[in-house]
Amino acid sequence: MANISINFYSQCLIRPVDIKIYIPNDPRPEVPKSEYADRKMKTLFILHGYTGAASNWIREDLAYKYNFAIVMVNGENSFYLDGLSTGHKYESFLAFEVVDYVRKTFGLAMTPEETYIMGFSMGGFGALHTGLAHPDRFGKIAALSSALIVHEVTNMKEGEGNPVANYEYYRECFGDTKSAAERDVNPEVLVSRLIKEGKPLPEIFMACGTEDFLLEPNRVMHKFLDNKKVKHEYYESKGQHDFVFWNEYSAKFVEKMFK
């Protein structure tokens, strides 16, 4: 597995940034050849959660088996949204700068059919939002224990917050909190727009543990997609907000996305 660390200057974040890329282009002779080895390599973008980093998940066995590259970015604690202040355009950084860099440098992720996105917690929100905002770039979405907190943010008032962060943090990420649920920062708004415009949506896979504190907002999103008759796969099973659950479902979703 080629393990590549890249540093380049981001116009969106106005500073040098690091991304990690894993490419299964050196299969070991003792490992049986995958049935997918001769097809064009696909790419999976992985989004970490709140307080995480671009090295939280790597499964070499799955990458070799299904012949896909892995790209990990540092989204910091941005919710992968274009924030209010200068140098905080994280959505644009991911969807345009990083994807274009991977295309230009490695010839990967050239079409939505070759480009998938998966995230955990805050990264699950980021995967849903980014994939739905840019269906011309991402063909499939896997979202695990997604921090679908837009409606909670909408009801926040100045001076408030939650155990994770204060009001000012959420305002920086989501903009005006009162209107958050009605704007593009809400994945539901993006779904409704794509349906109205008659545009195809990416394939969507979602999962959340039954002991996860984010279970209810994931159920709300699942019900919303059902009501909109949006084809998707949603799973619940025993599990908490941790990598025990995420490792289980990331492996299941990789198989569904790449097989």
Side-chain angles (χ1 to χ4, degrees):
M1 175 76 73
N3 181 341
I4 306 168
S5 295
I6 296 174
N7 180 275
F8 70 92
Y9 188 85
S10 167
Q11 299 290 342
C12 293
L13 305 185
I14 315 181
R15 58 180 168 81
V17 296
D18 296 306
I19 62 173
K20 292 182 179 293
I21 300 179
Y22 300 84
I23 304 177
N25 57 358
D26 56 346
R28 297 182 179 183
E30 68 271 19
V31 178
K33 183 178 178 180
S34 166
E35 63 182 294
Y36 305 100
D38 294 327
R39 75 178 178 188
K40 183 172 174 55
M41 187 176 292
K42 300 186 180 184
T43 304
L44 179 63
F45 288 76
I46 302 287
L47 308 185
H48 65 76
Y50 185 77
T51 74
S55 58
N56 284 167
W57 187 91
I58 175 68
R59 283 287 300 271
E60 292 188 17
D61 57 331
L62 294 176
Y64 276 121
K65 181 176 180 179
Y66 295 108
N67 191 33
F68 65 91
I70 299 168
V71 179
M72 296 184 177
V73 302
N74 274 315
E76 299 179 359
N77 294 328
S78 65
F79 270 84
Y80 302 93
L81 295 170
D82 284 349
L84 295 175
S85 56
T86 300
H88 285 76
K89 292 186 176 296
Y90 286 92
E91 177 190 339
S92 300
F93 165 66
L94 169 61
F96 295 105
E97 279 193 325
V98 176
V99 172
D100 288 346
Y101 188 94
V102 170
R103 288 178 173 179
K104 177 177 64 176
T105 308
F106 299 99
L108 295 167
M110 302 302 290
T111 67
E113 292 74 26
E114 301 170 5
T115 312
Y116 309 154
I117 190 168
M118 178 169 70
F120 317 92
S121 191
M122 181 190 77
F125 172 92
L128 280 168
H129 180 269
T130 307
L132 292 168
H134 305 281
D136 57 330
R137 295 196 158 224
F138 300 95
K140 297 183 183 182
I141 300 167
L144 292 84
S145 306
S146 303
L148 294 161
I149 63 168
V150 174
H151 294 289
E152 178 185 349
V153 169
T154 298
N155 293 320
M156 280 187 185
K157 298 179 177 60
E158 190 170 357
E160 297 181 346
N162 59 25
V164 174
N166 61 14
Y167 168 85
E168 285 74 17
Y169 163 77
Y170 291 109
R171 186 175 185 277
E172 167 61 37
C173 292
F174 291 89
D176 175 59
T177 57
K178 292 181 181 179
S179 62
E182 303 168 0
R183 292 186 287 104
D184 286 2
V185 295
N186 184 358
E188 296 172 5
V189 171
L190 300 175
V191 168
S192 297
R193 179 181 302 154
L194 290 173
I195 293 172
K196 183 177 180 180
E197 295 175 352
K199 295 181 179 179
L201 280 75
E203 292 185 40
I204 300 173
F205 303 87
M206 295 178 61
C208 193
T210 51
E211 285 71 50
D212 195 312
F213 70 98
L214 290 170
L215 178 60
E216 286 308 315
N218 278 267
R219 286 176 169 173
V220 169
M221 185 65 180
H222 166 51
K223 184 177 180 180
F224 172 83
L225 294 173
D226 268 349
N227 290 340
K228 290 290 185 178
K229 295 181 171 56
V230 174
K231 183 180 178 181
H232 67 290
E233 295 188 29
Y234 176 79
Y235 300 88
E236 289 181 12
S237 65
K238 185 175 178 60
Q240 301 185 30
H241 197 77
D242 57 29
F243 269 100
V244 175
F245 182 84
W246 301 335
N247 282 333
E248 175 187 353
Y249 275 92
S250 60
K252 289 180 179 179
F253 286 167
V254 161
E255 181 178 8
K256 288 177 175 292
M257 296 167 84
F258 289 94
K259 191 171 183 179

